[in-house]
């Protein structure tokens, strides 16, 4: 099909879709309210619908008073029932797919339900909207003269009953319409390979001779792939391989640590980066303008939003508000109710609004300290449980610790850098490092994937801190006692750099 015709079809779809987008831009609260009651009506005869009498809920206030706020631990048992094949628990339609994501305190991995409705009306709808917005902003775009290089995950079959679980990207690729295969590379067969090392090489071999016009994937994994492409071809930058490359659609982890590395291998001021905000639980927001750092919150994807101001989060005075009550530049935890049967579910992300008309956001972090520089979503509970296990194995005791990422530089992989103050230090630090690394992998499947054969992450680097290092650091900041604590995990290197400098100056 000639490219002008393809662009014309996209333009037609865009104009049709913009009418719908215009509705939620002008009437955001009404659209959200209607969406909520459609979800309640659809699920009124499910197990949860009967438990909370969805049929009698007439107002948002009744909804918020009646249903509790939940996290994964609270609903894990009902999700497991659904995975075993039970139906009509939290959503009327059977749930066949479960998106596997990083774990919680009580589970190595989470399994998030993906309904047919969320697949079509959220994830795929968002992909179409993203393309349409990009084409609308860039009339000279030539995306359809070539292919999109997509980087997805793997899938597995849940052995007991045939429900499928895997990375969300794998579920999306596996269910794409047949025609989408012709506009993407690598093939679905290669995209869904489970062994990352084999898969990476297969992707390189399949894509280097294609006319790639766009990239789509998580920045950390994509950088590993692109460096492999450059190494295989012996080229200095990606335009020498794919001269028509024009845009990278990215999401999943913060792009800030990677910007300069991408610019070095994509040295063109006209090359564009478009950010998306999606998760296993749903697709939430899209960058709808060129060169913007803000994301438009999409209000008609079957997701009803609520927000918890972080200054009240998990406190006795915790406040939960709908979209109509949000304010600018307040840090909010996100709560969602979805067309896959998640009801008032805390996704663990924090956002802030930079515009209320329309509702544009920036992702500000997580509700817990964590490291997610490479998509590993390492949480404090993982670290604490790993330390508990390894300290027992090595007869060591820990006083304090903190950790931060070592960001990728050139072709060097990332890593985690730990500063640990021991009460009783290990006899062999290398053994301690290896055992700790193994323990983290056993507790967190996403960390395990990134560490596999050093594909994205090298082994952790551990510094033995001098006695009272953390005490002296807090004292310098006038933060001794009370509620002041050493930040355990951080996506920034600020704390680690200060502590390393203080440790060096004391030697």
């Amino acid at each position: 099909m000639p490219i002008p015709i393809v662009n014309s079809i996209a333009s037609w779809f865009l104009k049709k879709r913009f009418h719908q987008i215009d509705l939620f831009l002008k009437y955001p609260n009404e659209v959200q309210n209607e969406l909520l009651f459609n979800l309640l009506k659809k699920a009124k005869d499910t197990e949860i619908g009967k438990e909370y009498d969805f049929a009698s809920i007439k107002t948002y206030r009744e909804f918020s008073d009646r249903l509790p706020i939940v996290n994964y631990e609270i609903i894990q048992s009902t999700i497991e029932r659904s995975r075993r094949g039970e139906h009509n628990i939290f959503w009327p339609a059977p749930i066949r797919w479960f998106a596997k994501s990083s774990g919680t305190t009580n589970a190595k991995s989470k399994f998030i339900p993906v309904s047919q409705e969320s697949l079509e009306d959220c994830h795929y709808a968002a992909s179409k909207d993203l393309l349409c917005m990009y084409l609308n902003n860039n009339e000279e775009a030539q995306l359809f003269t070539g292919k999109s290089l997509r980087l997805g995950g793997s899938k597995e079959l849940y052995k007991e009953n045939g429900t499928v679980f895997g990375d969300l990207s794998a579920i999306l690729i596996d269910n794409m319409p047949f025609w989408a295969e012709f506009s993407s590379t690598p093939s679905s067969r290669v995209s869904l390979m489970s062994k990352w090392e084999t898969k990476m090489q297969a992707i390189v071999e399949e894509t280097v001779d294609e006319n790639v016009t766009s990239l789509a994937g998580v920045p950390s994994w994509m950088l590993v792939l692109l460096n492999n492409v450059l190494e295989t071809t012996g080229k200095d930058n990606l335009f020498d391989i794919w001269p028509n490359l024009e845009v990278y659609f990215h999401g999943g982890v913060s792009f800030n640590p990677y910007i300069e590395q991408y610019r070095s291998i994509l040295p063109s001021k006209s090359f564009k980066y478009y950010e998306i905000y999606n998760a296993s639980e749903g697709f939430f927001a899209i960058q709808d303008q060129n060169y913007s750092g803000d994301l438009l919150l999409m209000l008609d994807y079957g997701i009803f939003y609520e927000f918890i101001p972080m200054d009240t989060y998990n406190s006795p005075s915790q406040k939960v508000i709908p979209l109509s009550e949000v304010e600018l530049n307040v840090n909010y935890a996100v709560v969602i109710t979805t067309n896959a049967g998640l009801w008032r579910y805390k996704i663990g992300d924090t956002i802030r609004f930079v515009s209320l008309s329309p509702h544009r956001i920036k992702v500000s972090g997580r509700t817990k300290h964590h490291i997610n520089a490479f998509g590993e979503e390492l949480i404090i509970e993982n670290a604490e449980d790993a330390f508990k296990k390894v300290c027992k194995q090595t007869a060591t005791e820990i006083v304090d610790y903190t950790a931060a990422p070592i960001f990728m530089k050139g072709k060097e992989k990332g890593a985690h850098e730990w500063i640990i103050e021991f009460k009783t230090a290990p006899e062999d630090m290398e053994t301690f490092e290896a055992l700790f690394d193994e323990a983290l992998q056993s507790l967190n499947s996403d960390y395990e994937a990134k560490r596999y054969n050093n594909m994205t992450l090298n082994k952790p680097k551990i510094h033995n801190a001098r006695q009272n290092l953390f005490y002296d650091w807090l004292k310098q900041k006038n933060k001794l006692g009370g509620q002041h604590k050493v930040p355990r995990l951080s996506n920034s290197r600020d704390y680690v750099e200060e502590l390393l400098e203080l440790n060096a100056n004391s030697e």
Side-chain angles (χ1 to χ4, degrees), residues 358-406:
H359 287 91
R360 287 199 173 95
I361 64 169
K362 285 184 182 287
V363 181
S364 53
R366 296 284 290 174
T367 53
K368 297 179 180 179
H369 284 297
H370 71 302
I371 301 179
N372 191 34
F374 313 98
E376 69 275 42
E377 195 47 63
L378 192 73
I379 57 176
I380 289 176
E381 287 86 351
N382 298 152
E384 301 282 14
D385 288 346
F387 278 133
K388 183 178 179 181
K389 180 178 180 180
V390 177
C391 284
K392 188 174 181 180
Q393 290 174 312
T394 58
T396 55
E397 290 179 88
I398 289 174
V399 176
D400 249 326
Y401 71 90
T402 194
I406 300 173

Side-chain angles (χ1 to χ4, degrees), residues 105-140:
T105 307
N106 301 324
K108 183 177 177 180
S109 298
K110 293 187 290 188
F111 296 92
I112 304 300
V114 179
S115 67
Q116 186 67 43
E117 290 91 337
S118 66
L119 203 65
E120 295 292 338
D121 301 336
C122 182
H123 293 290
Y124 286 146
S127 299
K128 293 172 190 172
D129 283 352
L130 175 64
L131 281 175
C132 285
M133 288 176 181
Y134 175 76
L135 291 171
N136 184 59
N137 295 335
N138 302 279
E139 293 182 359
E140 303 304 313

